[in-house]
Amino acid sequence: VVWMAPVCSTWISINVGTSGRSVICPGGFLSFLQNRKANKSAARIGLLALLIAAMDSTFVIEQPASSLFFHYMYVRAAFQILARV
């Protein structure tokens, strides 16, 4: 089992005023370094999830239920691919 726990501070609802994240724009304000780092991490985790699944292994992504992490385009795309398999 691969356990992935990306930093949730920019993805949670309590921080949307600062991060600018929303369901419509989960990438948030790209002018903030913190958002850019979190977005890069999310994209990498999406790719890792596909790789782990391709290796017929199991992964867990630790995020709060209210997190916008799973709305981010690369994470959402990875899960859409995995849903078809």
Side-chain angles (χ1 to χ4, degrees):
V1 175
V2 178
W3 196 282
M4 298 180 274
V7 176
C8 66
S9 61
T10 71
W11 299 104
I12 57 175
S13 59
I14 199 167
N15 196 20
V16 296
T18 302
S19 69
R21 296 190 190 279
S22 68
V23 173
I24 295 171
C25 184
F29 298 137
L30 298 180
S31 58
F32 292 135
L33 177 62
Q34 183 177 350
N35 281 3
R36 291 195 309 271
K37 286 182 177 182
N39 291 349
K40 187 184 289 186
S41 174
R44 289 175 177 169
I45 286 173
L47 288 172
L48 279 171
L50 291 174
L51 177 62
I52 293 163
M55 295 172 61
D56 201 27
S57 194
T58 305
F59 65 88
V60 174
I61 299 175
E62 183 181 335
Q63 280 289 298
S66 64
S67 174
L68 293 167
F69 179 84
F70 295 102
H71 293 277
Y72 189 59
M73 62 184 161
Y74 296 114
V75 176
R76 187 176 61 223
F79 277 89
Q80 288 172 344
I81 291 168
L82 291 173
R84 287 186 242 145
V85 175

